[in-house]
Amino acid sequence: ELIGAIEKETGRSAIIDRQPAQPGDVLLTCADITKARAHLGYAPDTSLSEGLRLFNVWFSDRDRVVLA
């Protein structure tokens, strides 16, 4: 899903080089924001597609930024 969403946003096809699992790779995650929502009021409201669009705009413009 993630690779497909990135391909859609960029208009390019990914070149996928599948490799065997590496030491330290996470094979399963149970990521959950329930506690962050309850204790910190964290409530993300940016969809994956919108986040990718915003990142793509930012990344495309990075060469135009002049550091002072």
Side-chain angles (χ1 to χ4, degrees), residues 6 9-10 12 50-65:
I6 293 169
E9 173 56 39
T10 61
R12 300 179 70 184
E50 177 65 2
L52 288 173
R53 186 190 71 75
L54 293 169
F55 177 82
N56 196 30
V57 168
W58 171 82
F59 192 78
S60 297
D61 289 344
R62 77 189 190 290
D63 290 334
R64 298 181 203 152
V65 175

Side-chain angles (χ1 to χ4, degrees), residues 6-56:
I6 293 169
E7 288 176 327
K8 183 177 178 182
E9 173 56 39
T10 61
R12 300 179 70 184
S13 294
I15 299 170
I16 300 171
D17 181 12
R18 299 207 185 274
Q19 298 289 316
Q22 302 295 307
D25 280 357
V26 176
L27 303 179
L28 174 68
T29 181
C30 297
D32 186 349
I33 65 166
T34 302
K35 286 184 180 180
R37 188 181 314 270
H39 298 288
L40 304 173
Y42 179 64
D45 60 358
T46 302
S47 67
L48 176 62
S49 60
E50 177 65 2
L52 288 173
R53 186 190 71 75
L54 293 169
F55 177 82
N56 196 30

